[in-house]
Amino acid sequence: MAIKVAAIIGSNRKESYNLKLVKYMKDRYADKLDIEIVSINEVEMFSADIEENPPKGAMDFKLKVRNTEAVLFAVPEYNFSIPGALKNAIDWMSRSGHDMKDKPTFIVGSSMGVLGSVRAQMHLREIITNPTLQPKLLPNNEVYIGAIHTKMNEQNELTDEGTIAFLDQVVNNFVEFYNKVK
């Protein structure tokens, strides 16, 4: 049975390469991962003044993450870090309910640049190690897909064989990791 995964897309851009990547993963790994794409677009700005009674967009987001078996982050890089909208969504998850606690989690990221969101992923890893989040993060399987625009066809499928083989291995590693920690 496929693992139920909430895929948090770290960008609110309509034509996000990270969204396209997750859609590709949803199709390619359907036998292993039951991926639900979780948008951050409707998550209201976090405020401690309203954290005990989250607004609808934030609460819907939190519940989708809370009610899944695992989490996948797909993150772009904005100004050497994660997008502000993603940080806002993570702030909501760190409050009232500990939505990620002990959830097996992994990260992928892509960009048009050569580094493939490496700095954003380093920052994201630092953020989600916060004691109020505490996911079980897949170690040693960093997925940095640089020049993503040259590695996808018009149907938004990965075409670079090396990237596909590496992603296949990481997904297999995640399934094995999930089965060990759950």
Side-chain angles (χ1 to χ4, degrees):
M1 189 152 120
I3 302 165
K4 187 176 170 189
V5 178
I8 300 170
I9 310 302
S11 171
N12 55 11
R13 191 173 145 250
K14 288 179 187 173
E15 293 298 317
S16 163
Y17 282 107
N18 287 285
L19 175 59
K20 292 175 184 181
L21 175 60
V22 169
K23 286 180 177 179
Y24 171 82
M25 292 175 69
K26 180 178 173 72
D27 290 340
R28 183 169 180 87
Y29 306 113
D31 62 323
K32 298 175 184 177
L33 306 175
D34 178 12
I35 295 175
E36 177 185 4
I37 295 173
V38 179
S39 173
I40 59 174
N41 294 1
E42 303 302 319
V43 178
E44 296 87 354
M45 287 299 297
F46 175 79
S47 170
D49 294 337
I50 59 173
E51 73 176 281
E52 293 303 320
N53 189 21
K56 182 178 181 355
M59 196 65 211
D60 289 350
F61 173 79
K62 289 170 63 62
L63 289 173
K64 284 179 183 176
V65 174
R66 188 180 302 163
N67 295 325
T68 194
E69 297 172 322
V71 176
L72 166 63
F73 283 96
V75 61
E77 184 170 311
Y78 291 6
N79 298 316
F80 299 170
S81 187
I82 64 171
L86 177 58
K87 176 63 167 73
N88 178 63
I90 292 169
D91 288 346
W92 275 111
M93 285 191 296
S94 73
R95 308 303 263 239
S96 305
H98 305 290
D99 307 304
M100 289 189 64
K101 185 171 176 42
D102 295 327
K103 289 211 187 290
T105 300
F106 69 122
I107 302 171
V108 299
S110 67
S111 72
M112 293 174 67
V114 295
L115 296 179
S117 81
V118 66
R119 293 173 290 209
Q121 288 191 46
M122 288 172 32
H123 196 192
L124 177 60
R125 287 174 186 278
E126 181 180 350
I127 292 166
I128 65 175
T129 60
N130 179 313
T132 63
L133 293 167
Q134 296 182 332
K136 293 181 179 175
L137 188 59
L138 176 67
N140 306 317
N141 282 265
E142 289 82 14
V143 178
Y144 311 121
I145 305 174
I148 186 71
H149 60 293
T150 68
K151 297 176 180 172
M152 287 191 136
N153 62 22
E154 290 182 7
Q155 292 76 41
N156 298 320
E157 300 165 327
L158 279 176
T159 57
D160 183 79
E161 292 301 322
T163 301
I164 294 167
F166 182 72
L167 196 56
D168 287 349
Q169 185 59 54
V170 169
V171 168
N172 288 335
N173 291 346
F174 180 74
V175 170
E176 184 177 315
F177 173 76
Y178 174 88
N179 288 324
K180 284 182 184 174
V181 300
K182 260 325 229 188

